[in-house]
Amino acid sequence: MIEIKKLIALEDKLIYQNAITLLNSDDLSAPVNAEVHESANARVSDIAACIHRNFLLELISIFVSSKFSNGDDVMRVCFDNKFVNLSGVSISEIDAIPALCEQLHISFLNSKFSISIKSSKVRTKSKEQLIELGAVYTQSHIAKSIVDDTFANLSIPLKDAKVLDFACGTGRFYENIIPHYHDKKKAILSNVYAIDMDINALNITRLKALSFMETISVEECNILCKHIVLKDGFRKNNSFFPEPLYISPEDLDGLTEAGFDAIVSNPPYLILKPNKSKAGIGGFDKIREQVTHYRNCGFYQYSIEGVLNLYKLAIERMLQMLKLGGELGVICPSTLFGDVSAKKLRKHLLLCNNVRSIQFFAEKVSIFENVNQATNIFILQKGGVTSDISISKEDNIFDVNISLVKELFPENLEIPAIKSLEWDILRKLSSLKKLKQIPSIRNRRGELDLSICKEFVTLSPTPHRLVRGNMIDDSGVRDINGEFVLESFISTRSKDYRTFDFNRKRLICQQISNGGLRRRLKFIYCALSDVLGNSCNYISSDEETLAKLYLVLNSSVLNWRFKITSSNNHINNYELDELPIIDLNKVDASFAYASQEELDEYIGSLYGLTKDERKLVAI
């Protein structure tokens, strides 16, 4: 079998030669000179995309011509192309071509193309395309597991079920769906559908479908093309962008509105946040238009809170395409079951459908190729009532009843990625008051907005040191910025601030704390006259209460409690508000400790945690 590395090298050679040709060079093997370097790089990405598509079609041509006697018709109908002979490559192991095409395309998506002055190298590794497209492919064994679990609960015989691979990519789910059917050709032409916006990936999915067949007629080719379609599954009309790729009621045999019995997917993960620094695929104007469309089109109710992400829109869209009682199997970011921006969608999933299972994977677990992402797989039945949810975290599998979720997280219905013993700890903490329920405590963000109020910041010494988040350290505030705040700033603040916060002792923490840190909550004291930037959070109260809170907030138990529902790098005040606080009358404000372990033993015992539980939550 020809090695994928040789195919990639051949593709790179074709890209380089075509780039040089377009620049009118006489020597196709010569490195690009400095004069043409800049103009070459302005076009090389487009050249690479064109060569990549044609090279894939050449490989597909070899497969189709070898497998089908009517190969020219198959190429014309299924791939809108005739036989391609771009490089003259020869492949003896014909059955390996679908896998080779997939590997070649994944390599392309993981690359950036440019012309080098010093060599003929055009490809460098890059996640730029993956990030801008939100295209991260599921490993085949994971896709198989999702398909198996989704099919396990079908309410109708599989032979009668209509199944969709939404955002199919190169068909990782599709190729694991078809083997479930005894008559694979009939399944491809009658039961199984796929949709995606990437023409190269879609062609590979069609190629995989053909690999399950021995013969195919022109009429059957047309059916296959209507079942594996180049369409934008998110759009239901043509009001957004000019290209005719929106879904119409006639597409996918008219099943696009509540017509499918099962849908499986690894939807695109793409935050739709306009950023003027971005260009190309994910450019500012395009993302802004997308956001405007999704918020105003009227098709989405549950997935348009906060910053939009395509994976949340995709989940809502798939539910629309699913029959009542149909089964949905999805792998997506773990933020779905934790982040406040997903609250409305999460509540809809849990309260209006039957969420059967959730399997959590930490960021360190290699679920995707070349990408690390904390994810979950969930299986859901549209409609019905959620009762016991099967939770899986590493090797720990257990049930959590929806009533417990409602009891512990009544506002947001979070389902944290924790083990069964940790749920027991949550039960112990659930009866305690939350920080926000203690009237004498004020939990706020820093008083000086570093963007809006920058005219009050000076390098000339004043009585008021400016404290930014990056100055907060375990040992105290580090004087590393040399900034101060003008006295006139104080009069612009509210009366409450001047009465309860200004010129008083406060506990402070960073507003940004990397989600991967073992210890995320770090509270220290600031000086009385300090002014805090909005990259800090603070808590103010009487000095005795602050002394007790210093011990409690720096304990492992509250660091653990914070981390299990924090899904990003921010330490938000609303998250701190939810922390369970023991009866502060039980805390000795003068308690002295020589290590984190001593503090954790003292505070953990006040929370009623056993030795094993304290060990479980230890920093």
Side-chain angles (χ1 to χ4, degrees):
M1 184 179 90
I2 187 169
E3 295 179 7
I4 186 62
K5 289 182 179 180
K6 292 181 179 178
L7 284 180
I8 292 171
L10 180 55
E11 184 176 63
D12 286 352
K13 180 180 178 182
L14 294 169
I15 293 169
Y16 181 80
Q17 289 178 339
N18 276 267
I20 297 297
T21 299
L22 288 175
L23 292 167
N24 299 314
S25 171
D26 294 329
D27 184 358
L28 298 186
S29 63
V32 179
N33 60 49
E35 287 73 24
V36 300
H37 177 252
E38 184 174 349
S39 60
N41 280 336
R43 302 182 65 186
V44 71
S45 292
D46 291 336
I47 295 168
C50 181
I51 294 298
H52 176 64
R53 182 178 179 183
N54 286 327
F55 194 34
L56 285 174
L57 287 171
E58 180 177 11
L59 297 175
I60 292 170
S61 296
I62 295 171
F63 181 88
V64 169
S65 63
S66 299
K67 189 173 181 68
F68 303 106
S69 59
N70 57 340
D72 52 346
D73 289 330
V74 176
M75 285 297 298
R76 175 177 53 83
V77 177
C78 293
F79 303 98
D80 194 25
N81 219 301
K82 56 187 178 182
F83 286 103
V84 178
N85 188 8
L86 181 69
S87 69
V89 65
S90 176
I91 297 180
S92 58
E93 295 185 36
I94 301 302
D95 290 342
I97 290 177
L100 289 171
C101 287
E102 180 174 68
Q103 292 176 63
L104 192 65
H105 188 52
I106 290 173
S107 175
F108 179 81
L109 291 176
N110 278 280
S111 302
K112 183 177 181 179
F113 296 88
S114 61
I115 292 293
S116 171
I117 296 175
K118 296 181 179 180
S119 72
S120 59
K121 182 179 180 180
V122 292
R123 182 190 305 250
T124 55
K125 286 187 177 182
S126 171
K127 294 182 181 179
E128 185 176 300
Q129 289 195 84
L130 290 177
I131 293 170
E132 291 184 345
L133 293 169
V136 181
Y137 290 154
T138 316
Q139 293 190 56
S140 187
H141 73 280
I142 299 292
K144 181 181 185 303
S145 175
I146 295 171
V147 171
D148 293 347
D149 290 345
T150 304
F151 284 179
N153 297 293
L154 282 175
S155 59
I156 64 171
L158 181 60
K159 64 181 181 63
D160 301 321
K162 302 293 184 179
V163 181
L164 173 65
D165 180 355
F166 184 93
C168 64
T170 57
R172 291 277 177 91
F173 286 88
Y174 188 96
E175 67 184 346
N176 282 290
I177 293 171
I178 300 303
H180 279 265
Y181 293 85
H182 176 70
D183 189 335
K184 295 177 178 56
K185 182 175 181 179
K186 182 176 181 297
I188 291 168
L189 300 177
S190 302
N191 298 85
V192 186
Y193 301 76
I195 184 171
D196 202 276
M197 283 280 289
D198 179 347
I199 180 61
N200 295 314
L202 194 86
N203 280 341
I204 294 169
T205 300
R206 287 181 177 175
L207 177 63
K208 287 181 177 180
L210 291 172
S211 73
F212 287 104
M213 299 183 178
E214 297 301 324
T215 61
I216 187 169
S217 66
V218 170
E219 181 182 1
E220 289 168 339
C221 284
N222 282 310
I223 293 172
L224 183 146
C225 292
K226 290 179 179 179
H227 284 199
I228 305 175
V229 298
L230 183 70
K231 291 281 185 174
D232 185 344
F234 295 91
R235 290 191 285 135
K236 297 163 68 173
N237 61 28
N238 62 350
S239 64
F240 172 50
F241 294 148
E243 74 271 11
L245 295 177
Y246 59 91
I247 284 286
S248 70
E250 293 76 34
D251 284 321
L252 300 174
D253 290 346
L255 299 170
T256 59
E257 294 303 315
F260 288 100
D261 298 288
I263 301 177
V264 289
S265 180
N266 171 22
Y269 311 165
L270 181 62
I271 297 174
L272 298 181
K273 188 173 183 179
N275 185 334
K276 290 184 179 179
S277 67
K278 290 184 178 181
I281 299 169
F284 175 82
D285 291 337
K286 181 175 180 179
I287 293 178
R288 184 175 57 184
E289 288 183 60
Q290 285 179 300
V291 170
T292 300
H293 171 76
Y294 292 131
R295 290 200 188 281
N296 299 316
C297 67
F299 302 146
Y300 298 95
Q301 301 178 50
Y302 308 108
S303 54
I304 53 177
E305 285 186 314
V307 177
L308 301 191
N309 194 310
L310 284 184
Y311 91 82
K312 291 186 283 189
L313 292 162
I315 290 170
E316 182 169 358
R317 184 69 188 103
M318 285 185 274
L319 282 172
Q320 295 170 2
M321 301 173 82
L322 197 62
K323 283 182 180 177
L324 190 65
E327 297 291 329
L328 179 65
V330 173
I331 181 169
C332 69
S334 290
T335 50
L336 174 64
F337 288 102
D339 196 84
V340 68
S341 68
K343 175 178 69 174
K344 195 170 184 179
L345 178 60
R346 180 167 61 250
K347 283 188 169 184
H348 178 65
L349 296 180
L350 291 168
L351 301 180
C352 301
N353 302 277
N354 177 15
V355 177
R356 299 183 184 277
S357 64
I358 305 169
Q359 186 175 7
F360 289 105
F361 298 92
E363 185 175 344
K364 63 183 179 181
V365 180
S366 180
I367 294 295
F368 304 113
E369 297 170 2
N370 305 321
V371 173
N372 293 323
Q373 168 85 53
T375 55
N376 71 84
I377 295 169
F378 71 92
I379 308 296
L380 170 152
Q381 180 189 42
K382 183 176 178 180
V385 178
T386 299
S387 179
D388 287 326
I389 307 169
S390 175
I391 305 291
S392 175
K393 174 72 184 298
E394 297 172 357
D395 295 328
N396 192 217
I397 302 174
F398 55 97
D399 287 345
V400 170
N401 192 275
I402 189 63
S403 62
L404 179 61
V405 177
K406 293 177 180 178
E407 175 189 340
L408 299 180
F409 306 105
E411 294 184 23
N412 297 330
L413 298 187
E414 293 104 325
I415 300 181
I418 58 177
K419 298 180 179 181
S420 57
L421 288 177
E422 293 174 284
W423 280 91
D424 294 335
I425 297 173
L426 280 176
R427 287 188 184 93
K428 288 186 176 182
L429 305 185
S430 64
S431 61
L432 299 172
K433 279 187 176 181
K434 297 177 180 178
L435 186 73
K436 66 182 179 182
Q437 295 172 326
I438 304 176
S440 63
I441 295 174
R442 286 167 57 84
N443 168 30
R444 301 286 188 273
R445 194 165 178 183
E447 58 266 25
L448 189 145
D449 189 303
L450 295 166
S451 298
I452 298 173
C453 300
K454 59 185 178 182
E455 71 270 19
F456 294 104
V457 179
T458 178
L459 296 178
S460 301
T462 76
H464 307 296
R465 175 179 60 176
L466 173 63
V467 177
R468 295 175 180 259
N470 67 343
M471 298 167 65
I472 297 174
D473 189 69
D474 290 355
S475 58
V477 177
R478 297 180 298 156
D479 287 315
I480 58 174
N481 293 329
E483 296 171 306
F484 299 87
V485 178
L486 298 174
E487 185 75 32
S488 55
F489 170 76
I490 307 304
S491 62
T492 68
R493 299 301 90 191
S494 69
K495 182 179 179 181
D496 275 357
Y497 165 77
R498 297 197 303 271
T499 302
F500 299 108
D501 303 329
F502 175 63
N503 213 26
R504 296 183 64 173
K505 201 171 186 180
R506 290 181 284 175
L507 285 174
I508 64 173
C509 74
Q510 292 177 322
Q511 206 275 329
I512 300 292
S513 176
N514 187 284
L517 293 175
R518 288 178 61 82
R519 183 180 178 187
R520 296 195 59 201
L521 290 189
K522 301 176 185 178
F523 279 89
I524 63 171
Y525 287 107
C526 67
L528 272 65
S529 59
D530 283 344
V531 170
L532 307 179
N534 61 341
S535 55
C536 305
N537 297 319
Y538 71 85
I539 291 175
S540 58
S541 190
D542 62 87
E543 288 199 22
E544 183 179 7
T545 298
L546 287 183
K548 294 178 179 183
L549 283 174
Y550 178 86
L551 299 172
V552 173
L553 291 171
N554 283 310
S555 68
S556 284
V557 62
L558 285 199
N559 182 71
W560 166 83
R561 175 60 185 82
F562 173 81
K563 287 182 67 174
I564 65 170
T565 53
S566 177
S567 57
N568 54 47
N569 292 329
H570 291 264
I571 296 180
N572 297 294
N573 294 106
Y574 69 81
E575 293 174 305
L576 296 176
D577 270 342
E578 294 297 315
L579 293 176
I581 305 298
I582 53 175
D583 182 355
L584 293 177
N585 291 321
K586 298 179 180 180
V587 181
D588 179 2
S590 61
F591 176 77
Y593 57 94
S595 66
Q596 183 70 43
E597 290 76 14
E598 287 185 24
L599 174 63
D600 290 342
E601 184 175 353
Y602 175 63
I603 297 300
S605 63
L606 292 179
Y607 273 97
L609 303 189
T610 67
K611 183 178 180 180
D612 287 342
E613 289 171 337
R614 294 198 298 269
K615 184 178 179 181
L616 185 62
V617 303
I619 294 172

